């Protein structure tokens, strides 16, 4: 079953750390010429450093600076409750046209699982940026050499093989293993899912064998996979990931087709000019060579969508999460 057809290590710095992105190494244009300069722009990351939202925000900030679109973007982390702490802060910044938040399907699920008072419907949608597959990974010394090895052991005793994910229940790293379990004949309610606040926290538990396996975005663990620290068993999307030697779940005989996505939202109450300037900045970023290179290097697929169309997509994703959780009996 395809839940989502459209589509998310830095030093661990701790909660609410402010990081100032350095000056551009290469300038290919002028933000004053394109109307994209936003002095004092800040990107909020609603989970810990090293996760998908963090990597996306820092990559976007650096690329925008390197392309000369704007300068001195400040990126900071405000983790908690699957992204809903950051969401609440964003919504409280009514009318602030110099703040944006990196987010994705995980925040959609966290709003539902935490019964959060603020929702993505309270924000100003700016753009959906990327789509990416999840990966099923184990530590390099794990006894599971193949996806069949893992699922065979998982079926024997689901509760004793904890799976870790970098999102709250209802988020992508939760839904992907639940769909895997159902495809393997394991009742989703028997799955021992352990949520972490982003891929950075999850990584330490996989490497330390605190969980039997982990599920997260390909871009988050690409370096560790290539370095041999993590063993990649399968990918969750419709096709193999170029450069990685692992089957799709469907290819391995498990009927799962799942991808994640990431985007940017801003506070409510922006005037048309403030909203349009943020959208223009992200449009110019999307068209830059710097961003195209980052897409390729991180294994991200382009899934660009802006403004009202992105808002309609967010509403549809919320309904889809609710539907799938109900279908899975969760």
């Amino acid at each position: 079953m395809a839940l989502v057809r459209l589509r998310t290590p830095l030093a661990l710095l701790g909660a609410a750390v402010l990081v100032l992105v350095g000056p551009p190494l290469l300038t290919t244009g002028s933000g004053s010429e394109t109307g994209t300069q936003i002095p004092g722009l800040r990107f909020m990351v609603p989970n810990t450093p090293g996760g998908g939202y963090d990597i996306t925000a820092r990559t976007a900030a650096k690329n925008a600076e390197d392309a000369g679109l704007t300068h001195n973007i400040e990126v900071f982390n405000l983790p908690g409750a699957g992204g809903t702490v950051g969401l609440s802060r964003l919504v409280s910044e009514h009318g602030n046209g110099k703040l944006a938040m990196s987010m994705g399907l995980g925040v959609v699920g966290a709003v539902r699982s935490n019964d959060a008072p603020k929702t993505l419907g309270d924000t100003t949608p700016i753009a959906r940026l990327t789509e990416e597959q999840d990966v099923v990974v184990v530590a390099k010394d794990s006894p599971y050499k193949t996806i069949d090895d893992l699922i065979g052991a998982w079926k024997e005793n689901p509760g004793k093989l904890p799976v870790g994910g970098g999102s709250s229940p209802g988020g992508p790293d939760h839904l992907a293993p639940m769909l895997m379990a159902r495809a393997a004949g394991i009742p989703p309610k028997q799955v021992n899912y352990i949520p972490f606040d982003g891929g950075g926290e999850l990584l330490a538990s996989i490497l330390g064998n605190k969980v039997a396996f982990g599920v997260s975005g390909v871009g988050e663990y690409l370096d560790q996979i290539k370095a041999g620290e993590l063993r990649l068993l399968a990918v969750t999307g419709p096709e193999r990931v170029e450069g990685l030697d692992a089957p799709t779940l469907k290819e391995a005989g498990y009927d799962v087709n799942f991808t994640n996505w990431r985007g940017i939202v801003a506070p409510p109450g922006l005037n048309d000019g403030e909203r349009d300037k943020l959208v223009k900045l992200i449009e110019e970023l999307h068209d830059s060579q710097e961003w195209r290179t980052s897409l390729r290097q991180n294994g991200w697929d382009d899934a660009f969508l802006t403004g009202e169309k992105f808002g309609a997509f967010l509403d549809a994703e919320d309904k889809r999460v609710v539907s799938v959780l109900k279908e899975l009996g969760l």
Side-chain angles (χ1 to χ4, degrees):
M1 162 192 169
L3 167 63
V4 182
R5 300 189 62 85
L6 296 171
R7 332 210 299 194
T8 111
L10 299 172
L12 297 181
L13 306 177
V17 177
L18 300 183
V19 176
L20 186 64
V21 177
L25 303 176
L26 174 67
T27 299
T28 59
S30 169
S32 59
E33 294 172 359
T34 60
T36 58
Q37 285 285 353
I38 306 177
L41 178 61
R42 306 172 78 209
F43 281 170
M44 182 198 301
V45 177
N47 62 11
T48 54
Y53 300 152
D54 189 71
I55 294 170
T56 302
R58 294 177 192 279
T59 299
K62 185 177 188 306
N63 288 171
E65 292 202 350
D66 287 354
L69 300 175
T70 193
H71 301 296
N72 298 326
I73 301 173
E74 190 178 298
V75 183
F76 70 99
N77 299 77
L78 185 61
T84 57
V85 170
L87 175 63
S88 179
R89 163 72 178 275
L90 186 82
V91 174
S92 75
E93 295 274 348
H94 189 278
N96 185 352
K98 297 187 177 185
L99 179 64
M101 186 178 84
S102 176
M103 48 73 69
L105 179 58
V107 177
V108 178
V111 166
R112 286 292 175 180
S113 62
N114 294 318
D115 195 22
K118 303 300 182 182
T119 74
L120 289 164
D122 296 316
T123 70
T124 299
I126 301 300
R128 187 185 67 203
L129 291 174
T130 63
E131 178 184 28
E132 71 171 341
Q133 301 199 41
D134 266 2
V135 290
V136 182
V137 292
V138 296
K140 63 182 179 182
D141 57 352
S142 167
Y144 310 116
K145 309 294 187 186
T146 69
I147 189 65
D148 284 335
D149 289 344
L150 172 65
I151 290 183
W154 200 21
K155 289 174 73 172
E156 286 183 11
N157 199 331
K160 287 195 174 180
L161 261 73
V163 50
S167 59
S168 297
D173 298 350
H174 171 249
L175 293 175
M178 294 302 167
L179 294 170
M180 283 173 55
R182 187 179 66 173
I186 301 169
K189 286 186 176 181
Q190 293 183 14
V191 173
N192 181 8
Y193 176 76
I194 301 177
F196 295 85
D197 201 356
E201 285 190 356
L202 170 62
L203 178 61
S205 288
I206 300 172
L207 295 176
N209 294 305
K210 302 282 179 57
V211 294
F213 66 104
V215 177
S216 193
V218 61
E220 295 178 66
Y221 292 160
L222 198 57
D223 289 344
Q224 290 79 13
I225 291 168
K226 290 185 174 180
E229 296 174 12
L230 293 176
R231 180 182 300 141
L232 175 61
L233 301 185
V235 298
T236 65
E239 298 177 352
R240 290 191 176 210
V241 175
E242 184 178 354
L244 296 180
D245 184 19
T248 67
L249 286 169
K250 198 154 192 174
E251 186 182 344
Y254 307 99
D255 190 15
V256 176
N257 178 5
F258 179 89
T259 53
N260 186 18
W261 56 267
R262 296 194 180 96
I264 295 175
V265 294
L270 303 191
N271 62 42
D272 289 348
E274 290 169 328
R275 182 197 63 219
D276 292 347
K277 196 158 192 176
L278 278 169
V279 171
K280 177 68 171 175
L281 170 63
I282 302 305
E283 286 176 339
E284 293 289 334
L285 169 69
H286 169 259
D287 292 340
S288 71
Q289 184 57 53
E290 288 83 354
W291 181 250
R292 299 289 176 176
T293 299
S294 292
L295 289 176
R296 184 175 65 254
Q297 290 177 340
N298 287 289
W300 297 335
D301 292 332
D302 187 11
F304 197 59
L305 194 67
T306 61
E308 292 181 0
K309 290 183 179 179
F310 179 42
F313 171 80
L314 289 176
D315 184 60
E317 286 296 271
D318 179 56
K319 292 180 173 64
R320 194 185 302 241
V321 166
V322 172
S323 174
V324 172
L325 287 173
K326 184 177 180 180
E327 182 182 338
L328 292 172
L330 300 171

